[in-house]
Amino acid sequence: NAWYITTNSGAYLKSVNKGLTWLFTNVNSNSESLNDLKFINPNLAYAVGHNGKLFRFNGNAWQNQNSTSNNNLNAITVAL
């Protein structure tokens, strides 16, 4: 199981060894804070952050998604 930590610089940290080592991944080149991150599977994830920022991971890269909000998005809920 992986552990994730979002950052206030548009990135997240991932550990697959219970926090012994961390991998830094940049999601947002604008350095907007990320507030939540959810991986559905290794090829699908979502991240939300300040000023309505919404991102989708497609297994290869993070892509900016259209959001109709300029508010800070603080959490993701996924219903499967």
Side-chain angles (χ1 to χ4, degrees), residues 37-74:
L37 174 73
K38 293 280 189 269
F39 271 84
I40 310 306
N41 61 51
N43 296 311
L44 180 61
Y46 294 93
V48 294
H50 284 191
N51 300 315
K53 294 297 181 188
L54 172 63
F55 301 92
R56 181 179 185 267
F57 181 70
N58 64 8
N60 293 311
W62 286 95
Q63 300 170 331
N64 189 28
Q65 301 294 295
N66 291 330
S67 171
T68 59
S69 175
N70 289 325
N71 296 322
N72 292 346
L73 303 177
N74 296 312

PDB file of all heavy atoms in Angstrom, residues 37-74:
ATOM      1  N   LEU A  37      -5.907  14.072  -2.833  1.00  0.00           N
ATOM      2  CA  LEU A  37      -5.438  13.219  -3.913  1.00  0.00           C
ATOM      3  C   LEU A  37      -6.059  11.849  -3.719  1.00  0.00           C
ATOM      4  O   LEU A  37      -6.021  11.306  -2.613  1.00  0.00           O
ATOM      5  CB  LEU A  37      -3.911  13.135  -3.826  1.00  0.00           C
ATOM      6  CG  LEU A  37      -3.162  12.205  -4.746  1.00  0.00           C
ATOM      7  CD1 LEU A  37      -3.163  12.767  -6.162  1.00  0.00           C
ATOM      8  CD2 LEU A  37      -1.733  12.066  -4.251  1.00  0.00           C
ATOM      9  N   LYS A  38      -6.655  11.288  -4.783  1.00  0.00           N
ATOM     10  CA  LYS A  38      -7.242   9.950  -4.695  1.00  0.00           C
ATOM     11  C   LYS A  38      -6.817   9.136  -5.900  1.00  0.00           C
ATOM     12  O   LYS A  38      -7.051   9.524  -7.043  1.00  0.00           O
ATOM     13  CB  LYS A  38      -8.768  10.013  -4.684  1.00  0.00           C
ATOM     14  CG  LYS A  38      -9.373  10.655  -3.469  1.00  0.00           C
ATOM     15  CD  LYS A  38      -9.413   9.707  -2.302  1.00  0.00           C
ATOM     16  CE  LYS A  38     -10.209  10.244  -1.154  1.00  0.00           C
ATOM     17  NZ  LYS A  38      -9.505  10.998  -0.185  1.00  0.00           N
ATOM     18  N   PHE A  39      -6.152   8.004  -5.643  1.00  0.00           N
ATOM     19  CA  PHE A  39      -5.837   7.053  -6.700  1.00  0.00           C
ATOM     20  C   PHE A  39      -6.936   5.995  -6.706  1.00  0.00           C
ATOM     21  O   PHE A  39      -7.164   5.325  -5.707  1.00  0.00           O
ATOM     22  CB  PHE A  39      -4.478   6.402  -6.470  1.00  0.00           C
ATOM     23  CG  PHE A  39      -3.340   7.162  -7.075  1.00  0.00           C
ATOM     24  CD1 PHE A  39      -2.772   8.216  -6.386  1.00  0.00           C
ATOM     25  CD2 PHE A  39      -2.870   6.827  -8.326  1.00  0.00           C
ATOM     26  CE1 PHE A  39      -1.728   8.930  -6.947  1.00  0.00           C
ATOM     27  CE2 PHE A  39      -1.834   7.538  -8.899  1.00  0.00           C
ATOM     28  CZ  PHE A  39      -1.252   8.598  -8.209  1.00  0.00           C
ATOM     29  N   ILE A  40      -7.612   5.846  -7.845  1.00  0.00           N
ATOM     30  CA  ILE A  40      -8.633   4.815  -8.014  1.00  0.00           C
ATOM     31  C   ILE A  40      -7.935   3.491  -8.324  1.00  0.00           C
ATOM     32  O   ILE A  40      -8.297   2.442  -7.819  1.00  0.00           O
ATOM     33  CB  ILE A  40      -9.598   5.177  -9.159  1.00  0.00           C
ATOM     34  CG1 ILE A  40     -10.119   6.611  -9.015  1.00  0.00           C
ATOM     35  CG2 ILE A  40     -10.731   4.164  -9.267  1.00  0.00           C
ATOM     36  CD1 ILE A  40     -10.745   6.946  -7.700  1.00  0.00           C
ATOM     37  N   ASN A  41      -6.931   3.571  -9.186  1.00  0.00           N
ATOM     38  CA  ASN A  41      -6.075   2.448  -9.537  1.00  0.00           C
ATOM     39  C   ASN A  41      -4.780   3.053 -10.090  1.00  0.00           C
ATOM     40  O   ASN A  41      -4.665   4.274 -10.171  1.00  0.00           O
ATOM     41  CB  ASN A  41      -6.783   1.492 -10.524  1.00  0.00           C
ATOM     42  CG  ASN A  41      -7.145   2.165 -11.823  1.00  0.00           C
ATOM     43  OD1 ASN A  41      -6.311   2.813 -12.467  1.00  0.00           O
ATOM     44  ND2 ASN A  41      -8.398   2.027 -12.234  1.00  0.00           N
ATOM     45  N   PRO A  42      -3.799   2.257 -10.474  1.00  0.00           N
ATOM     46  CA  PRO A  42      -2.534   2.843 -10.946  1.00  0.00           C
ATOM     47  C   PRO A  42      -2.663   3.725 -12.195  1.00  0.00           C
ATOM     48  O   PRO A  42      -1.781   4.507 -12.496  1.00  0.00           O
ATOM     49  CB  PRO A  42      -1.659   1.616 -11.240  1.00  0.00           C
ATOM     50  CG  PRO A  42      -2.219   0.550 -10.371  1.00  0.00           C
ATOM     51  CD  PRO A  42      -3.694   0.805 -10.321  1.00  0.00           C
ATOM     52  N   ASN A  43      -3.780   3.610 -12.912  1.00  0.00           N
ATOM     53  CA  ASN A  43      -3.965   4.358 -14.152  1.00  0.00           C
ATOM     54  C   ASN A  43      -5.040   5.432 -14.077  1.00  0.00           C
ATOM     55  O   ASN A  43      -5.404   6.013 -15.105  1.00  0.00           O
ATOM     56  CB  ASN A  43      -4.303   3.405 -15.296  1.00  0.00           C
ATOM     57  CG  ASN A  43      -3.161   2.470 -15.575  1.00  0.00           C
ATOM     58  OD1 ASN A  43      -2.022   2.904 -15.698  1.00  0.00           O
ATOM     59  ND2 ASN A  43      -3.446   1.191 -15.641  1.00  0.00           N
ATOM     60  N   LEU A  44      -5.555   5.695 -12.887  1.00  0.00           N
ATOM     61  CA  LEU A  44      -6.597   6.709 -12.747  1.00  0.00           C
ATOM     62  C   LEU A  44      -6.532   7.337 -11.360  1.00  0.00           C
ATOM     63  O   LEU A  44      -6.645   6.635 -10.356  1.00  0.00           O
ATOM     64  CB  LEU A  44      -7.985   6.108 -12.968  1.00  0.00           C
ATOM     65  CG  LEU A  44      -9.161   7.071 -12.839  1.00  0.00           C
ATOM     66  CD1 LEU A  44      -9.073   8.199 -13.874  1.00  0.00           C
ATOM     67  CD2 LEU A  44     -10.477   6.320 -12.974  1.00  0.00           C
ATOM     68  N   ALA A  45      -6.354   8.655 -11.339  1.00  0.00           N
ATOM     69  CA  ALA A  45      -6.317   9.387 -10.074  1.00  0.00           C
ATOM     70  C   ALA A  45      -6.815  10.799 -10.303  1.00  0.00           C
ATOM     71  O   ALA A  45      -6.827  11.302 -11.434  1.00  0.00           O
ATOM     72  CB  ALA A  45      -4.901   9.420  -9.510  1.00  0.00           C
ATOM     73  N   TYR A  46      -7.233  11.433  -9.214  1.00  0.00           N
ATOM     74  CA  TYR A  46      -7.682  12.822  -9.253  1.00  0.00           C
ATOM     75  C   TYR A  46      -7.011  13.595  -8.122  1.00  0.00           C
ATOM     76  O   TYR A  46      -6.749  13.045  -7.056  1.00  0.00           O
ATOM     77  CB  TYR A  46      -9.205  12.904  -9.092  1.00  0.00           C
ATOM     78  CG  TYR A  46      -9.948  12.293 -10.244  1.00  0.00           C
ATOM     79  CD1 TYR A  46     -10.347  10.965 -10.211  1.00  0.00           C
ATOM     80  CD2 TYR A  46     -10.232  13.039 -11.383  1.00  0.00           C
ATOM     81  CE1 TYR A  46     -11.017  10.397 -11.277  1.00  0.00           C
ATOM     82  CE2 TYR A  46     -10.891  12.479 -12.450  1.00  0.00           C
ATOM     83  CZ  TYR A  46     -11.285  11.157 -12.393  1.00  0.00           C
ATOM     84  OH  TYR A  46     -11.937  10.590 -13.458  1.00  0.00           O
ATOM     85  N   ALA A  47      -6.769  14.874  -8.377  1.00  0.00           N
ATOM     86  CA  ALA A  47      -6.227  15.772  -7.359  1.00  0.00           C
ATOM     87  C   ALA A  47      -6.987  17.085  -7.441  1.00  0.00           C
ATOM     88  O   ALA A  47      -7.384  17.523  -8.534  1.00  0.00           O
ATOM     89  CB  ALA A  47      -4.739  16.011  -7.581  1.00  0.00           C
ATOM     90  N   VAL A  48      -7.217  17.708  -6.280  1.00  0.00           N
ATOM     91  CA  VAL A  48      -7.880  19.008  -6.227  1.00  0.00           C
ATOM     92  C   VAL A  48      -7.057  19.954  -5.374  1.00  0.00           C
ATOM     93  O   VAL A  48      -6.273  19.536  -4.529  1.00  0.00           O
ATOM     94  CB  VAL A  48      -9.313  18.913  -5.656  1.00  0.00           C
ATOM     95  CG1 VAL A  48     -10.214  18.118  -6.574  1.00  0.00           C
ATOM     96  CG2 VAL A  48      -9.322  18.334  -4.252  1.00  0.00           C
ATOM     97  N   GLY A  49      -7.270  21.258  -5.621  1.00  0.00           N
ATOM     98  CA  GLY A  49      -6.498  22.234  -4.869  1.00  0.00           C
ATOM     99  C   GLY A  49      -7.117  23.602  -4.843  1.00  0.00           C
ATOM    100  O   GLY A  49      -8.324  23.771  -5.075  1.00  0.00           O
ATOM    101  N   HIS A  50      -6.282  24.595  -4.589  1.00  0.00           N
ATOM    102  CA  HIS A  50      -6.725  25.981  -4.457  1.00  0.00           C
ATOM    103  C   HIS A  50      -7.236  26.529  -5.786  1.00  0.00           C
ATOM    104  O   HIS A  50      -6.843  26.078  -6.858  1.00  0.00           O
ATOM    105  CB  HIS A  50      -5.583  26.848  -3.955  1.00  0.00           C
ATOM    106  CG  HIS A  50      -5.333  26.667  -2.487  1.00  0.00           C
ATOM    107  ND1 HIS A  50      -4.507  27.490  -1.786  1.00  0.00           N
ATOM    108  CD2 HIS A  50      -5.806  25.780  -1.581  1.00  0.00           C
ATOM    109  CE1 HIS A  50      -4.481  27.122  -0.523  1.00  0.00           C
ATOM    110  NE2 HIS A  50      -5.246  26.069  -0.385  1.00  0.00           N
ATOM    111  N   ASN A  51      -8.118  27.521  -5.677  1.00  0.00           N
ATOM    112  CA  ASN A  51      -8.655  28.242  -6.843  1.00  0.00           C
ATOM    113  C   ASN A  51      -9.337  27.332  -7.856  1.00  0.00           C
ATOM    114  O   ASN A  51      -9.254  27.557  -9.054  1.00  0.00           O
ATOM    115  CB  ASN A  51      -7.559  29.068  -7.518  1.00  0.00           C
ATOM    116  CG  ASN A  51      -6.965  30.091  -6.580  1.00  0.00           C
ATOM    117  OD1 ASN A  51      -7.689  30.777  -5.873  1.00  0.00           O
ATOM    118  ND2 ASN A  51      -5.650  30.172  -6.544  1.00  0.00           N
ATOM    119  N   GLY A  52     -10.008  26.297  -7.368  1.00  0.00           N
ATOM    120  CA  GLY A  52     -10.767  25.410  -8.241  1.00  0.00           C
ATOM    121  C   GLY A  52      -9.945  24.469  -9.089  1.00  0.00           C
ATOM    122  O   GLY A  52     -10.450  23.906 -10.059  1.00  0.00           O
ATOM    123  N   LYS A  53      -8.690  24.271  -8.739  1.00  0.00           N
ATOM    124  CA  LYS A  53      -7.826  23.401  -9.545  1.00  0.00           C
ATOM    125  C   LYS A  53      -8.266  21.946  -9.440  1.00  0.00           C
ATOM    126  O   LYS A  53      -8.528  21.424  -8.351  1.00  0.00           O
ATOM    127  CB  LYS A  53      -6.367  23.519  -9.117  1.00  0.00           C
ATOM    128  CG  LYS A  53      -5.768  24.876  -9.381  1.00  0.00           C
ATOM    129  CD  LYS A  53      -5.746  25.184 -10.866  1.00  0.00           C
ATOM    130  CE  LYS A  53      -5.112  26.538 -11.113  1.00  0.00           C
ATOM    131  NZ  LYS A  53      -5.230  26.954 -12.491  1.00  0.00           N
ATOM    132  N   LEU A  54      -8.360  21.286 -10.587  1.00  0.00           N
ATOM    133  CA  LEU A  54      -8.766  19.886 -10.685  1.00  0.00           C
ATOM    134  C   LEU A  54      -7.856  19.214 -11.704  1.00  0.00           C
ATOM    135  O   LEU A  54      -7.671  19.734 -12.814  1.00  0.00           O
ATOM    136  CB  LEU A  54     -10.224  19.792 -11.125  1.00  0.00           C
ATOM    137  CG  LEU A  54     -10.789  18.423 -11.456  1.00  0.00           C
ATOM    138  CD1 LEU A  54     -10.774  17.508 -10.239  1.00  0.00           C
ATOM    139  CD2 LEU A  54     -12.219  18.566 -11.992  1.00  0.00           C
ATOM    140  N   PHE A  55      -7.282  18.069 -11.330  1.00  0.00           N
ATOM    141  CA  PHE A  55      -6.359  17.347 -12.195  1.00  0.00           C
ATOM    142  C   PHE A  55      -6.752  15.884 -12.269  1.00  0.00           C
ATOM    143  O   PHE A  55      -7.306  15.327 -11.317  1.00  0.00           O
ATOM    144  CB  PHE A  55      -4.922  17.436 -11.660  1.00  0.00           C
ATOM    145  CG  PHE A  55      -4.423  18.839 -11.541  1.00  0.00           C
ATOM    146  CD1 PHE A  55      -4.561  19.537 -10.355  1.00  0.00           C
ATOM    147  CD2 PHE A  55      -3.824  19.464 -12.621  1.00  0.00           C
ATOM    148  CE1 PHE A  55      -4.108  20.836 -10.240  1.00  0.00           C
ATOM    149  CE2 PHE A  55      -3.378  20.766 -12.521  1.00  0.00           C
ATOM    150  CZ  PHE A  55      -3.515  21.455 -11.327  1.00  0.00           C
ATOM    151  N   ARG A  56      -6.444  15.258 -13.406  1.00  0.00           N
ATOM    152  CA  ARG A  56      -6.706  13.831 -13.618  1.00  0.00           C
ATOM    153  C   ARG A  56      -5.412  13.167 -14.086  1.00  0.00           C
ATOM    154  O   ARG A  56      -4.722  13.679 -14.959  1.00  0.00           O
ATOM    155  CB  ARG A  56      -7.787  13.647 -14.678  1.00  0.00           C
ATOM    156  CG  ARG A  56      -8.144  12.205 -14.941  1.00  0.00           C
ATOM    157  CD  ARG A  56      -9.262  12.137 -15.998  1.00  0.00           C
ATOM    158  NE  ARG A  56      -9.712  10.788 -16.183  1.00  0.00           N
ATOM    159  CZ  ARG A  56      -9.225   9.958 -17.101  1.00  0.00           C
ATOM    160  NH1 ARG A  56      -8.260  10.338 -17.902  1.00  0.00           N
ATOM    161  NH2 ARG A  56      -9.703   8.741 -17.204  1.00  0.00           N
ATOM    162  N   PHE A  57      -5.113  11.999 -13.502  1.00  0.00           N
ATOM    163  CA  PHE A  57      -3.959  11.205 -13.911  1.00  0.00           C
ATOM    164  C   PHE A  57      -4.453  10.060 -14.776  1.00  0.00           C
ATOM    165  O   PHE A  57      -5.388   9.345 -14.396  1.00  0.00           O
ATOM    166  CB  PHE A  57      -3.232  10.667 -12.674  1.00  0.00           C
ATOM    167  CG  PHE A  57      -2.016   9.859 -12.995  1.00  0.00           C
ATOM    168  CD1 PHE A  57      -0.889  10.463 -13.512  1.00  0.00           C
ATOM    169  CD2 PHE A  57      -1.997   8.501 -12.766  1.00  0.00           C
ATOM    170  CE1 PHE A  57       0.257   9.724 -13.815  1.00  0.00           C
ATOM    171  CE2 PHE A  57      -0.869   7.745 -13.043  1.00  0.00           C
ATOM    172  CZ  PHE A  57       0.258   8.364 -13.567  1.00  0.00           C
ATOM    173  N   ASN A  58      -3.832   9.869 -15.942  1.00  0.00           N
ATOM    174  CA  ASN A  58      -4.291   8.842 -16.887  1.00  0.00           C
ATOM    175  C   ASN A  58      -3.361   7.635 -16.964  1.00  0.00           C
ATOM    176  O   ASN A  58      -3.415   6.871 -17.922  1.00  0.00           O
ATOM    177  CB  ASN A  58      -4.457   9.453 -18.280  1.00  0.00           C
ATOM    178  CG  ASN A  58      -3.152   9.936 -18.876  1.00  0.00           C
ATOM    179  OD1 ASN A  58      -2.074   9.692 -18.337  1.00  0.00           O
ATOM    180  ND2 ASN A  58      -3.241  10.654 -19.982  1.00  0.00           N
ATOM    181  N   GLY A  59      -2.483   7.494 -15.979  1.00  0.00           N
ATOM    182  CA  GLY A  59      -1.531   6.400 -15.996  1.00  0.00           C
ATOM    183  C   GLY A  59      -0.164   6.822 -16.491  1.00  0.00           C
ATOM    184  O   GLY A  59       0.822   6.144 -16.243  1.00  0.00           O
ATOM    185  N   ASN A  60      -0.120   7.944 -17.216  1.00  0.00           N
ATOM    186  CA  ASN A  60       1.143   8.452 -17.744  1.00  0.00           C
ATOM    187  C   ASN A  60       1.453   9.868 -17.294  1.00  0.00           C
ATOM    188  O   ASN A  60       2.599  10.192 -17.035  1.00  0.00           O
ATOM    189  CB  ASN A  60       1.141   8.423 -19.277  1.00  0.00           C
ATOM    190  CG  ASN A  60       1.114   7.021 -19.813  1.00  0.00           C
ATOM    191  OD1 ASN A  60       1.884   6.180 -19.393  1.00  0.00           O
ATOM    192  ND2 ASN A  60       0.212   6.769 -20.729  1.00  0.00           N
ATOM    193  N   ALA A  61       0.434  10.718 -17.243  1.00  0.00           N
ATOM    194  CA  ALA A  61       0.663  12.133 -16.941  1.00  0.00           C
ATOM    195  C   ALA A  61      -0.552  12.738 -16.252  1.00  0.00           C
ATOM    196  O   ALA A  61      -1.678  12.251 -16.393  1.00  0.00           O
ATOM    197  CB  ALA A  61       0.954  12.903 -18.225  1.00  0.00           C
ATOM    198  N   TRP A  62      -0.300  13.811 -15.514  1.00  0.00           N
ATOM    199  CA  TRP A  62      -1.364  14.597 -14.887  1.00  0.00           C
ATOM    200  C   TRP A  62      -1.849  15.624 -15.893  1.00  0.00           C
ATOM    201  O   TRP A  62      -1.046  16.276 -16.558  1.00  0.00           O
ATOM    202  CB  TRP A  62      -0.853  15.290 -13.630  1.00  0.00           C
ATOM    203  CG  TRP A  62      -0.673  14.343 -12.502  1.00  0.00           C
ATOM    204  CD1 TRP A  62       0.469  13.720 -12.138  1.00  0.00           C
ATOM    205  CD2 TRP A  62      -1.673  13.908 -11.589  1.00  0.00           C
ATOM    206  NE1 TRP A  62       0.253  12.915 -11.045  1.00  0.00           N
ATOM    207  CE2 TRP A  62      -1.065  13.014 -10.687  1.00  0.00           C
ATOM    208  CE3 TRP A  62      -3.031  14.178 -11.439  1.00  0.00           C
ATOM    209  CZ2 TRP A  62      -1.762  12.393  -9.661  1.00  0.00           C
ATOM    210  CZ3 TRP A  62      -3.725  13.554 -10.412  1.00  0.00           C
ATOM    211  CH2 TRP A  62      -3.098  12.681  -9.538  1.00  0.00           C
ATOM    212  N   GLN A  63      -3.180  15.766 -16.003  1.00  0.00           N
ATOM    213  CA  GLN A  63      -3.772  16.719 -16.934  1.00  0.00           C
ATOM    214  C   GLN A  63      -4.737  17.625 -16.194  1.00  0.00           C
ATOM    215  O   GLN A  63      -5.537  17.163 -15.365  1.00  0.00           O
ATOM    216  CB  GLN A  63      -4.514  15.982 -18.045  1.00  0.00           C
ATOM    217  CG  GLN A  63      -3.606  15.065 -18.835  1.00  0.00           C
ATOM    218  CD  GLN A  63      -4.363  14.148 -19.765  1.00  0.00           C
ATOM    219  OE1 GLN A  63      -5.504  13.785 -19.506  1.00  0.00           O
ATOM    220  NE2 GLN A  63      -3.712  13.762 -20.855  1.00  0.00           N
ATOM    221  N   ASN A  64      -4.660  18.919 -16.506  1.00  0.00           N
ATOM    222  CA  ASN A  64      -5.576  19.892 -15.936  1.00  0.00           C
ATOM    223  C   ASN A  64      -6.978  19.624 -16.472  1.00  0.00           C
ATOM    224  O   ASN A  64      -7.157  19.363 -17.663  1.00  0.00           O
ATOM    225  CB  ASN A  64      -5.106  21.303 -16.321  1.00  0.00           C
ATOM    226  CG  ASN A  64      -5.859  22.378 -15.591  1.00  0.00           C
ATOM    227  OD1 ASN A  64      -6.336  22.186 -14.485  1.00  0.00           O
ATOM    228  ND2 ASN A  64      -5.960  23.527 -16.218  1.00  0.00           N
ATOM    229  N   GLN A  65      -7.972  19.666 -15.600  1.00  0.00           N
ATOM    230  CA  GLN A  65      -9.359  19.459 -15.995  1.00  0.00           C
ATOM    231  C   GLN A  65     -10.131  20.758 -15.791  1.00  0.00           C
ATOM    232  O   GLN A  65      -9.800  21.552 -14.920  1.00  0.00           O
ATOM    233  CB  GLN A  65     -10.000  18.350 -15.146  1.00  0.00           C
ATOM    234  CG  GLN A  65      -9.302  17.025 -15.241  1.00  0.00           C
ATOM    235  CD  GLN A  65      -9.398  16.416 -16.617  1.00  0.00           C
ATOM    236  OE1 GLN A  65     -10.481  16.073 -17.073  1.00  0.00           O
ATOM    237  NE2 GLN A  65      -8.264  16.295 -17.291  1.00  0.00           N
ATOM    238  N   ASN A  66     -11.172  20.958 -16.586  1.00  0.00           N
ATOM    239  CA  ASN A  66     -11.998  22.149 -16.423  1.00  0.00           C
ATOM    240  C   ASN A  66     -12.793  22.072 -15.133  1.00  0.00           C
ATOM    241  O   ASN A  66     -13.403  21.062 -14.830  1.00  0.00           O
ATOM    242  CB  ASN A  66     -12.961  22.303 -17.608  1.00  0.00           C
ATOM    243  CG  ASN A  66     -12.237  22.647 -18.884  1.00  0.00           C
ATOM    244  OD1 ASN A  66     -11.190  23.287 -18.847  1.00  0.00           O
ATOM    245  ND2 ASN A  66     -12.781  22.234 -20.000  1.00  0.00           N
ATOM    246  N   SER A  67     -12.763  23.164 -14.391  1.00  0.00           N
ATOM    247  CA  SER A  67     -13.538  23.279 -13.162  1.00  0.00           C
ATOM    248  C   SER A  67     -14.345  24.565 -13.259  1.00  0.00           C
ATOM    249  O   SER A  67     -13.846  25.583 -13.719  1.00  0.00           O
ATOM    250  CB  SER A  67     -12.606  23.347 -11.953  1.00  0.00           C
ATOM    251  OG  SER A  67     -13.329  23.675 -10.788  1.00  0.00           O
ATOM    252  N   THR A  68     -15.582  24.518 -12.842  1.00  0.00           N
ATOM    253  CA  THR A  68     -16.428  25.710 -12.895  1.00  0.00           C
ATOM    254  C   THR A  68     -16.323  26.541 -11.625  1.00  0.00           C
ATOM    255  O   THR A  68     -17.050  27.499 -11.456  1.00  0.00           O
ATOM    256  CB  THR A  68     -17.897  25.319 -13.123  1.00  0.00           C
ATOM    257  OG1 THR A  68     -18.309  24.452 -12.053  1.00  0.00           O
ATOM    258  CG2 THR A  68     -18.063  24.607 -14.455  1.00  0.00           C
ATOM    259  N   SER A  69     -15.400  26.183 -10.746  1.00  0.00           N
ATOM    260  CA  SER A  69     -15.259  26.870  -9.464  1.00  0.00           C
ATOM    261  C   SER A  69     -13.914  27.582  -9.376  1.00  0.00           C
ATOM    262  O   SER A  69     -12.918  27.102  -9.907  1.00  0.00           O
ATOM    263  CB  SER A  69     -15.365  25.858  -8.319  1.00  0.00           C
ATOM    264  OG  SER A  69     -15.112  26.474  -7.087  1.00  0.00           O
ATOM    265  N   ASN A  70     -13.919  28.712  -8.693  1.00  0.00           N
ATOM    266  CA  ASN A  70     -12.677  29.387  -8.333  1.00  0.00           C
ATOM    267  C   ASN A  70     -12.397  29.234  -6.845  1.00  0.00           C
ATOM    268  O   ASN A  70     -11.435  29.803  -6.335  1.00  0.00           O
ATOM    269  CB  ASN A  70     -12.740  30.869  -8.695  1.00  0.00           C
ATOM    270  CG  ASN A  70     -12.680  31.076 -10.187  1.00  0.00           C
ATOM    271  OD1 ASN A  70     -12.003  30.339 -10.896  1.00  0.00           O
ATOM    272  ND2 ASN A  70     -13.394  32.060 -10.693  1.00  0.00           N
ATOM    273  N   ASN A  71     -13.251  28.496  -6.155  1.00  0.00           N
ATOM    274  CA  ASN A  71     -13.077  28.251  -4.722  1.00  0.00           C
ATOM    275  C   ASN A  71     -12.013  27.194  -4.491  1.00  0.00           C
ATOM    276  O   ASN A  71     -11.699  26.397  -5.371  1.00  0.00           O
ATOM    277  CB  ASN A  71     -14.398  27.773  -4.101  1.00  0.00           C
ATOM    278  CG  ASN A  71     -15.468  28.827  -4.167  1.00  0.00           C
ATOM    279  OD1 ASN A  71     -15.200  30.004  -4.002  1.00  0.00           O
ATOM    280  ND2 ASN A  71     -16.696  28.415  -4.443  1.00  0.00           N
ATOM    281  N   ASN A  72     -11.473  27.165  -3.287  1.00  0.00           N
ATOM    282  CA  ASN A  72     -10.542  26.104  -2.921  1.00  0.00           C
ATOM    283  C   ASN A  72     -11.297  24.788  -2.836  1.00  0.00           C
ATOM    284  O   ASN A  72     -12.325  24.702  -2.171  1.00  0.00           O
ATOM    285  CB  ASN A  72      -9.876  26.406  -1.585  1.00  0.00           C
ATOM    286  CG  ASN A  72      -8.949  27.595  -1.659  1.00  0.00           C
ATOM    287  OD1 ASN A  72      -8.598  28.052  -2.744  1.00  0.00           O
ATOM    288  ND2 ASN A  72      -8.548  28.108  -0.527  1.00  0.00           N
ATOM    289  N   LEU A  73     -10.815  23.778  -3.528  1.00  0.00           N
ATOM    290  CA  LEU A  73     -11.395  22.437  -3.466  1.00  0.00           C
ATOM    291  C   LEU A  73     -10.561  21.650  -2.469  1.00  0.00           C
ATOM    292  O   LEU A  73      -9.355  21.523  -2.628  1.00  0.00           O
ATOM    293  CB  LEU A  73     -11.374  21.790  -4.851  1.00  0.00           C
ATOM    294  CG  LEU A  73     -12.086  22.575  -5.948  1.00  0.00           C
ATOM    295  CD1 LEU A  73     -11.932  21.886  -7.293  1.00  0.00           C
ATOM    296  CD2 LEU A  73     -13.551  22.774  -5.609  1.00  0.00           C
ATOM    297  N   ASN A  74     -11.213  21.136  -1.423  1.00  0.00           N
ATOM    298  CA  ASN A  74     -10.487  20.573  -0.287  1.00  0.00           C
ATOM    299  C   ASN A  74     -10.522  19.064  -0.186  1.00  0.00           C
ATOM    300  O   ASN A  74      -9.717  18.484   0.536  1.00  0.00           O
ATOM    301  CB  ASN A  74     -11.007  21.178   1.008  1.00  0.00           C
ATOM    302  CG  ASN A  74     -10.728  22.655   1.066  1.00  0.00           C
ATOM    303  OD1 ASN A  74      -9.620  23.095   0.797  1.00  0.00           O
ATOM    304  ND2 ASN A  74     -11.730  23.444   1.395  1.00  0.00           N
TER     305      ASN A  74
END
